[in-house]
Amino acid sequence: RWPMFVRLALADEAELLVEMARDAVAQTKPEHEFDADRVRTVFTSYLQHAHPTFFFVEQNRKVIGFLQAEMGLYDFTSGMFTVQKTVYVQRDKRGTRAATLLMQHFIEWSRVHIGAKEAFGGVDNDFHAERTAGFLERFCFKRVGYAMTLDLRNG
């Protein structure tokens, strides 16, 4: 039995991301139309520019989840920040350490490899929002302000 570990997504793993993203959208943004070609385009951007960055978590040599991260420069102050955009773990692997390992890796990457001043994370949907916020608080994320959305598709 192989332990779980986190690594960068490999060039030949676009279709793994497509399938995981399809499930993530179905659960968290069902009102949105999934676009597999868009996922492939974003994955190509990752391969060419590391923006965004995809970390995969494996268990027993099988990918079971991912974390999508971005980095940026502040507009009005010096330094860099990172953003945890998506954390996804396959339904049958939830409750394992997969999400925890992904977040630990993200924080280390942000602090050590990027040299970021701060990392942003959060929940931009209603799928287990309180539970996810509590999960992030275990890593010392703080609730700051409000995240709000405005649906511009209808009126």
Side-chain angles (χ1 to χ4, degrees):
R1 182 172 150 96
W2 293 85
M4 278 188 203
F5 69 95
V6 176
R7 60 169 176 78
L8 288 167
L10 303 176
D12 65 350
E13 294 179 318
E15 294 309 308
L16 285 174
L17 180 62
V18 167
E19 290 313 308
M20 290 186 288
R22 182 186 316 278
D23 191 44
V25 169
Q27 291 178 71
T28 63
K29 297 276 190 175
E31 70 280 9
H32 286 237
E33 183 178 334
F34 179 74
D35 186 341
D37 288 333
R38 179 67 187 143
V39 176
R40 292 180 190 103
T41 298
V42 170
F43 192 79
T44 298
S45 178
Y46 154 67
L47 295 174
Q48 294 174 346
H49 309 289
H51 188 73
T53 298
F54 288 100
F55 298 106
F56 281 4
V57 61
E58 281 191 19
Q59 181 181 42
N60 299 324
R61 296 188 174 188
K62 182 177 185 270
V63 173
I64 62 169
F66 74 93
L67 185 145
Q68 178 185 5
E70 290 188 354
M71 61 187 116
L73 296 170
Y74 293 100
D75 292 329
F76 304 116
T77 63
S78 63
M80 294 189 74
F81 60 88
T82 57
V83 181
Q84 164 266 310
K85 289 190 70 178
T86 305
V87 177
Y88 169 84
V89 176
Q90 289 177 351
R91 296 174 197 218
D92 64 331
K93 298 299 181 180
R94 294 182 186 153
T96 65
R97 293 194 38 82
T100 296
L101 292 174
L102 285 164
M103 283 304 299
Q104 288 172 338
H105 193 86
F106 166 72
I107 292 167
E108 179 183 352
W109 172 77
S110 298
R111 181 180 288 129
V112 176
H113 300 285
I114 303 302
K117 285 186 176 180
E118 60 188 334
F120 297 97
V123 186
D124 68 353
N125 58 69
D126 291 327
F127 184 76
H128 299 302
E130 278 301 316
R131 191 166 89 192
T132 302
F135 171 74
L136 292 173
E137 287 173 332
R138 290 193 348 233
F139 297 96
C140 299
F141 281 79
K142 293 183 174 98
R143 295 180 194 221
V144 178
Y146 293 93
M148 304 171 99
T149 63
L150 172 63
D151 189 343
L152 299 172
R153 294 170 291 172
N154 300 318

